[in-house]
Amino acid sequence: QVQLVESGGGLVPPGGSLRLSCAASEFTLEYHAIAWFRQALGKERERVSCISRATGSTYYKNSVEGRFTISSDRAKSTAYLQMDSLKPEDTAIYYCAAATGPYCSDQIVGYTSWGQGTQVTVSS
């Protein structure tokens, strides 16, 4: 069973940086693509980024392209989301999720294992 635990959220001023971590159960990163989603208050959950296990390709939501970087360390069974130049509109609960297989999915139903989420607040 895939288990995911996020950490690294917090309060940061606009323009600041945070690195989120997603600790996964053993072998998860060997077989599953990993994505980061976020959900702001009153809004739907949206995919922010994804890294494909099959191809190594990375995907980003347009509004975070060039500011966020997704990566994974299979030896540590941990995925990361480096977030730079943060904006108030990045404020949300951030979740990591494992896809059903090694490819990223555009659909939220393509992700069947979720972490508990970590709060990111960008405010002065």
Side-chain angles (χ1 to χ4, degrees):
Q1 183 177 357
V2 174
Q3 294 184 330
L4 304 168
V5 179
E6 303 96 336
S7 62
L11 173 63
V12 62
S17 297
L18 282 174
R19 188 177 81 156
L20 305 183
S21 299
C22 175
S25 49
E26 192 175 18
F27 303 121
T28 296
L29 271 59
E30 297 293 326
Y31 299 111
H32 300 273
I34 297 295
W36 287 93
F37 286 76
R38 69 186 181 188
Q39 187 166 18
L41 192 64
K43 295 188 177 181
E44 293 188 351
R45 192 170 297 191
E46 61 181 6
R47 193 183 74 172
V48 173
S49 183
C50 186
I51 183 166
S52 169
R53 172 65 186 96
T55 64
S57 299
T58 55
Y59 304 89
Y60 296 95
K61 179 179 173 62
N62 284 345
S63 61
V64 308
E65 183 85 47
R67 300 188 297 120
F68 290 12
T69 305
I70 191 171
S71 62
S72 65
D73 184 337
R74 293 202 298 275
K76 296 182 178 180
S77 198
T78 301
Y80 304 95
L81 185 68
Q82 177 67 41
M83 306 187 295
D84 299 317
S85 302
L86 282 161
K87 303 176 181 180
E89 51 263 42
D90 295 318
T91 295
I93 299 174
Y94 284 71
Y95 301 88
C96 65
T100 54
Y103 294 93
C104 292
S105 172
D106 291 337
Q107 305 299 319
I108 196 169
V109 295
Y111 299 88
T112 53
S113 298
W114 294 81
Q116 82 289 351
T118 186
Q119 176 71 47
V120 171
T121 303
V122 184
S123 174
S124 55

